[in-house]
Amino acid sequence: MASEAARSSAEAASQNASNAAASVSSSTSSVWDRFSNWASENKAAVYTIAGVTLVVTGAGIYYYRSSAGDDEPRKSKKERRRAKKEAEGTPKSDESSTSGTSGALQRGVTKVFSHLAQRAATVESEEELPQVDESMVETLSEQERKTFAAQLKAAGNKAYSTKKYTEAIDLYSKAILCKPDPIFYSNRAACYNAMSQWEKVIEDTTAALALDSEYVKALNRRANAYEQATKYSEALLDYTASCIMDGFRNDASAQSVERLLKKVAEAKAKGIVSSREPKLPSSMFVTNYLQSFRTRPVPPELEDSVELSEESGKGQLRKGLSAISKKTAEGYDEASKSFEQSLELGELGEVEAYAYNMRGTFRYLKGDNKRALEDLTKSVELQPSLTQSYIKRASMHLEQGKSYQTCDRDQAAADFDKATDQNKDDPDIYYHRAQLQFILGEFQAAAKDYQKSIDIDKDFIFSHIQLGVTQYKMGSVASSMATFRRCRKNFPQVSDVYIYYGELLLDQQKYQEAIEQFEQATELEKQNKPMGMNVLPLINRALAVYQWKQDFEEAEALCQKALIIDPECDIAVSTMAQLLLQHGKVTEALKYFEQAAELGRTEGEIVNALSYAEATRTQLEVQEKYPQLASRLQQAGVGGLGGPGMR
């Protein structure tokens, strides 16, 4: 749905940032989820990009499939006809043409000669196979070479079937001397495959494909060997080409594509994470995360009236809080450094727990969850009454698993309980616990906690917004619309109200009304945050005009504008990538997918972005290596994904 098409930047940046960005709905998914959720509801839809077809499902890029084939050597048509004939038995003689003793004699003679012929054939196949070498082959006629090659291949197949792989390899090698044939190479590769000699498999299947570029069984065999040899990018390319060549009927190959996309992305993500310094995400993400907590008074020791040196721990802590108020990328970087220096300088006294809370917060925003958890644990040890530290730690527990289904829900729940024990009237506890419940699909419980947060503090706008979104997800559209109408009346100067109300209208395909809400949000952002405006309204407008009018030029211009304002905005980058991909600009889309990976805050976010990047890169490689496949798909008249498919 469209509300899932543009969630808060903090939660859009990752499915794993549970409590991030209150101003951006946790009801909505990141751009990846927008695309996947649409696809999971439209599994039959396919789109052609540069002539290469793939299907997008909730699991990610999903290529159609064909049978991968087993590891049995492939038989020629002649061999299959011979096998069928042998199965039917020797044709009966025409008994109507003979009678009496002469007929019986003729049948007896025929039987004897038939037996002798079969025995001679057995001797030839088992004991009298042609002994060939390079010099001997040069003396043979073309027909003799073909005959010898067929005999040697048949014997190789028999040896393979009895698992005499070394013998089969020798026989196939001799057959290849007589006649270089893709089947012979592929059959020999099958022997090496059974012996786990992957480089040999790659060598022989490559030779087979040089002779027959669309030999699907050889392609699948090589793909498997590449995967076994941990050459995942090469395996991905082969399996993708195999899916297309084999008419999109192969379950095994398609599943291999999905598996390899993940493997390639995970391997590259580890490299990115290990080689880069932790850094803060976009200013929009940081702002949205920080404002998901109610504003609290500054500790008395840090008030402006207190004289503090910037060379002291308390002085640096106050400097960091002042930098946060700028709500700019530069301000957040300055704050992060100040919080680090604050604890290094020490002598913080009563505000030490608060300092650990703030440093842990910014370490979390940088994706450094391990050290962030350590800081927040130290914070609650020093000051158990600091409930915000429990709440933030709970959200971090959610990022320990690969998904919300595998996250540490028990520890998260335990932290919310500990916070409640300290202060059951803290509205932030119920708001953020509702965020967790919403993400896990527990909408009734989420609505109850959002309402509890409102009952304690009715002036916190994000509790109202989230309640309205939750009502919408529960199917109570009228209640949701009423909640947003009250929000617009009571909080007319808050842009987030118009952003999420517009998203719900967009989900109902009320395009004109939705665009009006996004435009109003943009104007409020310009007025209220001229130095750090939220670019989400621009991105939502881009999606709306593309879905409504299929106006790629205007959608692209809006995304470009968002990127000029906030170059680090991952939502803007990934939305641009999807728009370009759908418009057939595959090479440009790839650059943006790669940029989205660089902007990823956690390893999970990076893997997600790289999966799209690798799928896009593979499309380009298949088109370059197998141009005939692109033209074949175009001739088949496969349609594109246009318009509302972006949702």
Side-chain angles (χ1 to χ4, degrees):
M1 58 183 285
S3 62
E4 295 182 41
R7 69 197 294 195
S8 80
S9 64
E11 293 178 297
S14 169
Q15 293 179 343
N16 296 329
S18 65
N19 291 323
S23 72
V24 181
S25 167
S26 65
S27 69
T28 57
S29 309
S30 68
V31 69
W32 312 116
D33 294 324
R34 293 204 295 268
F35 202 72
S36 299
N37 290 345
W38 170 82
S40 66
E41 298 167 2
N42 301 270
K43 289 187 175 68
V46 296
Y47 66 92
T48 302
I49 302 298
V52 180
T53 301
L54 52 84
V55 172
V56 182
T57 72
I61 303 297
Y62 191 81
Y63 292 82
Y64 269 110
R65 32 272 224 175
S66 72
S67 174
D70 53 32
D71 281 333
E72 291 299 320
R74 174 175 165 184
K75 295 181 179 180
S76 65
K77 290 182 179 179
K78 184 176 180 181
E79 286 181 303
R80 292 196 292 271
R81 287 196 298 270
R82 184 187 304 159
K84 182 178 179 181
K85 188 173 181 181
E86 289 173 355
E88 294 172 349
T90 304
K92 294 182 179 179
S93 58
D94 187 358
E95 296 186 12
S96 64
S97 64
T98 58
S99 61
T101 303
S102 62
L105 179 61
Q106 183 174 341
R107 288 195 297 275
V109 172
T110 300
K111 185 174 181 179
V112 170
F113 275 100
S114 176
H115 174 73
L116 291 173
Q118 290 177 11
R119 183 172 180 181
T122 301
V123 171
E124 180 184 50
S125 63
E126 294 183 358
E127 299 176 6
E128 299 182 5
L129 284 169
Q131 300 300 312
V132 298
D133 56 34
E134 290 185 16
S135 58
M136 183 265 198
V137 167
E138 293 177 357
T139 67
L140 299 176
S141 67
E142 184 177 349
Q143 185 56 48
E144 286 174 326
R145 292 184 185 187
K146 288 181 180 180
T147 301
F148 284 6
Q151 291 173 344
L152 290 162
K153 173 185 175 286
N157 287 358
K158 184 175 180 180
Y160 179 92
S161 66
T162 57
K163 299 185 179 181
K164 297 178 180 178
Y165 301 125
T166 302
E167 180 182 337
I169 288 171
D170 181 61
L171 291 164
Y172 290 136
S173 298
K174 291 177 179 178
I176 290 169
L177 280 177
C178 295
K179 179 190 174 187
D181 187 288
I183 295 174
F184 302 165
Y185 280 109
S186 183
N187 287 2
R188 189 170 70 178
C191 298
Y192 288 126
N193 188 84
M195 300 166 72
S196 300
Q197 296 185 24
W198 309 120
E199 292 302 327
K200 290 284 190 181
V201 176
I202 293 168
E203 184 180 329
D204 271 359
T205 49
T206 299
L209 290 163
L211 296 168
D212 181 356
S213 63
E214 294 195 30
Y215 189 174
V216 174
K217 182 177 283 188
L219 196 58
N220 283 332
R221 225 167 240 148
R222 188 173 70 177
N224 176 68
Y226 275 137
E227 184 174 2
Q228 296 299 329
T230 68
K231 297 180 179 180
Y232 298 134
S233 295
E234 292 88 341
L236 176 60
L237 177 61
D238 276 359
Y239 274 128
T240 302
S242 168
C243 287
I244 299 169
M245 288 179 186
D246 220 6
F248 311 126
R249 295 182 298 274
N250 185 331
D251 285 335
S253 292
Q255 290 166 7
S256 295
V257 167
E258 292 182 20
R259 181 179 66 253
L260 285 161
L261 277 173
K262 185 178 180 182
K263 282 186 176 181
V264 172
E266 286 178 343
K268 291 190 174 184
K270 287 185 184 299
I272 291 174
V273 170
S274 64
S275 63
R276 76 176 185 184
E277 289 293 323
K279 67 174 185 176
L280 290 171
S282 71
S283 59
M284 185 178 78
F285 186 109
V286 178
T287 298
N288 289 333
Y289 178 78
L290 294 176
Q291 69 184 13
S292 71
F293 293 89
R294 288 161 173 82
T295 303
R296 303 293 174 91
V298 174
E301 297 91 333
L302 303 177
E303 289 180 352
D304 291 339
S305 59
V306 178
E307 186 174 343
L308 295 172
S309 168
E310 284 195 3
E311 301 303 317
S312 68
K314 290 181 181 179
Q316 283 296 315
L317 184 55
R318 186 168 69 183
K319 181 181 178 182
L321 294 175
S322 176
I324 285 177
S325 64
K326 299 175 184 177
K327 295 185 178 181
T328 63
E330 294 76 14
Y332 292 135
D333 282 332
E334 182 183 347
S336 179
K337 293 173 183 176
S338 292
F339 295 141
E340 293 283 347
Q341 291 178 23
S342 171
L343 282 159
E344 290 173 6
L345 291 169
E347 297 185 5
L348 292 160
E350 295 296 320
V351 294
E352 185 177 4
Y354 186 69
Y356 275 108
N357 175 295
M358 296 310 299
R359 188 175 73 174
T361 299
F362 274 77
R363 284 179 170 179
Y364 166 69
L365 289 167
K366 289 180 177 180
D368 189 356
N369 275 16
K370 184 176 182 296
R371 294 202 301 164
L373 277 170
E374 292 172 356
D375 277 353
L376 292 171
T377 298
K378 183 67 174 178
S379 175
V380 296
E381 288 173 354
L382 291 168
Q383 186 180 339
S385 62
L386 192 55
T387 55
Q388 193 183 92
S389 294
Y390 284 114
I391 296 169
K392 291 177 179 177
R393 193 172 70 173
S395 69
M396 293 178 202
H397 285 311
L398 298 181
E399 291 196 5
Q400 299 308 297
K402 293 184 178 180
S403 69
Y404 286 120
Q405 285 64 42
T406 61
C407 66
D408 198 336
R409 296 178 58 178
D410 291 340
Q411 286 199 56
D415 273 342
F416 283 122
D417 289 342
K418 290 174 183 176
T420 306
D421 291 341
Q422 292 295 324
N423 182 5
K424 63 182 178 60
D425 294 324
D426 184 345
D428 278 347
I429 298 171
Y430 305 100
Y431 174 78
H432 286 275
R433 189 169 68 183
Q435 297 283 74
L436 163 64
Q437 293 160 340
F438 184 96
I439 290 167
L440 296 173
E442 299 168 1
F443 300 126
Q444 291 282 359
K448 183 178 178 180
D449 269 349
Y450 285 132
Q451 187 60 58
K452 176 73 171 177
S453 177
I454 292 170
D455 292 341
I456 297 173
D457 177 13
K458 63 181 177 59
D459 295 327
F460 188 63
I461 179 57
F462 302 113
S463 294
H464 295 274
I465 290 174
Q466 290 297 112
L467 177 61
V469 174
T470 304
Q471 291 168 333
Y472 191 87
K473 292 287 285 187
M474 293 167 64
S476 302
V477 178
S479 297
S480 174
M481 295 295 102
T483 297
F484 273 98
R485 283 194 293 272
R486 287 194 298 272
C487 286
R488 289 196 301 164
K489 179 181 178 181
N490 296 329
F491 303 94
Q493 295 302 308
V494 179
S495 63
D496 301 86
V497 173
Y498 302 93
I499 292 172
Y500 297 108
Y501 184 49
E503 289 184 353
L504 299 189
L505 293 170
L506 182 59
D507 187 64
Q508 298 170 62
Q509 299 184 13
K510 296 178 179 180
Y511 299 114
Q512 185 61 54
E513 294 177 61
I515 289 173
E516 289 171 0
Q517 299 302 311
F518 299 143
E519 289 174 342
Q520 178 66 24
T522 301
E523 290 304 312
L524 287 171
E525 284 290 326
K526 289 178 181 178
Q527 295 171 21
N528 300 332
K529 308 173 192 174
M531 298 302 294
M533 71 172 283
N534 186 341
V535 297
L536 194 56
L538 294 172
I539 300 168
N540 282 350
R541 277 176 60 196
L543 292 170
V545 298
Y546 190 83
Q547 291 176 30
W548 184 19
K549 303 176 181 178
Q550 288 76 57
D551 190 338
F552 171 77
E553 285 72 22
E554 184 178 355
E556 182 183 27
L558 287 165
C559 281
Q560 290 287 11
K561 186 175 181 179
L563 287 169
I564 291 171
I565 296 170
D566 189 353
E568 300 288 299
C569 179
D570 56 327
I571 302 178
V573 171
S574 53
T575 300
M576 177 67 87
Q578 296 287 8
L579 285 169
L580 290 166
L581 187 63
Q582 292 193 48
H583 207 62
K585 298 184 177 182
V586 187
T587 303
E588 294 177 52
L590 176 58
K591 294 177 182 178
Y592 280 97
F593 280 130
E594 290 174 336
Q595 184 181 350
E598 291 294 329
L599 292 173
R601 190 176 62 89
T602 65
E603 188 170 333
E605 294 172 18
I606 297 169
V607 168
N608 208 4
L610 286 174
S611 293
Y612 280 84
E614 291 306 312
T616 306
R617 191 193 320 281
T618 303
Q619 291 180 56
L620 293 170
E621 291 176 355
V622 168
Q623 181 189 6
E624 181 179 349
K625 193 169 184 178
Y626 304 100
Q628 74 276 17
L629 299 182
S631 60
R632 183 187 305 171
L633 289 171
Q634 289 170 345
Q635 291 169 5
V638 181
L641 177 74
M646 269 299 286
R647 287 191 300 145

